[in-house]
Amino acid sequence: MTRITERFNKLKAEGRKAFIPYITAGDPDLATTERLILALAEAGADVIELGVPFSDPLADGPVIQRAVERALAAGGSMRATLDMIASIRSEVTAPIVLFTYANPIVRMGLDAFATRAAEAGVDGVLALDLPVEEADEFREALTRHGLDTIFLLSPTTIASRIKRAGELGSGFLYGISRLGVTGARETVATGAEDMVRRIRAVTNLPLALGFGISTPAHVAEVGAYADAAVVGSALVALIAQTTGAADQIARVEDYVRSLRAACVASKAS
């Protein structure tokens, strides 16, 4: 059983939902990312998502695109991200998921990537632009090294593809609450609950919901029907706003604690 599965099982037994923060590895630099990961863990993150900087982040909106540009300028890469995870893994008990695109994995080599990711302490991988129909080899390589394969589902994903993602996937599935790119919104998408219902009709894997979630109220709303809430762009924006400030880590911790507290209060499913 992987750390991700253990974590979701524990949360289910406790009757609460998971909170998953996302940050971009290397933004504004790798040393700060290390401190931020430790802060996320200290603030109670149940799973931590790390975005691997990539030059063509098609699924991401302007906030994360700018974060990726800063990370790349600071020397961020797949190898640098894995080395950084390895350096702090012993200090973090929360599972760590890589949020990446297929290109950096292919450039590194699938087997080499899976080997190094497992050695570094990565728990799961989500390759955003990898179609489930082409994911068998990818999933087999990750499974050999004890890594979970996480698939992305959208409001337009048809039932047969949801079923296939549930069969090939492990750890959890990541549902995007709305079409388009990442970015904070004022409200959770109106069709999010219906999408969760459709996914749960064909798979029992835990479901995390992201894209557009940014406030404790959003987290509590999502927790009423999904297994986890993911907050990315709003957190990345806060990191950008506080870069260079002496209280950056404290402000990030406070924000994450407020979101995590809302998740604890969301016990209905």
Side-chain angles (χ1 to χ4, degrees), residues 164-216:
R164 186 58 176 158
E167 292 169 347
L168 282 183
S170 59
F172 65 93
L173 295 170
Y174 187 124
I176 61 173
S177 63
R178 63 183 74 238
L179 296 177
V181 296
T182 57
R185 302 290 193 279
E186 292 186 359
T187 61
V188 177
T190 55
E193 186 172 1
D194 180 65
M195 182 186 73
V196 170
R197 191 178 299 111
R198 290 195 304 110
I199 293 171
R200 283 190 162 154
V202 295
T203 177
N204 292 321
L205 276 180
L207 177 64
L209 201 64
F211 279 44
I213 300 169
S214 61
T215 69

Side-chain angles (χ1 to χ4, degrees), residues 23 27-29 32-33 35-36 39-40 63 67 70 232-256:
I23 61 174
D27 175 38
D29 54 63
T32 302
T33 299
R35 294 193 293 272
L36 287 168
L40 297 179
V63 170
R70 292 190 294 268
S233 292
L235 178 54
V236 171
L238 176 60
I239 292 168
Q241 292 162 11
T242 57
T243 292
D247 63 346
Q248 179 185 50
I249 300 300
R251 290 173 65 179
V252 167
E253 267 198 49
D254 287 346
Y255 178 53
V256 171

Side-chain angles (χ1 to χ4, degrees), residues 153 157-168 202-203:
L153 302 174
T157 303
I158 61 175
S160 60
R161 298 191 82 230
I162 295 172
K163 183 174 184 294
R164 186 58 176 158
E167 292 169 347
L168 282 183
V202 295
T203 177

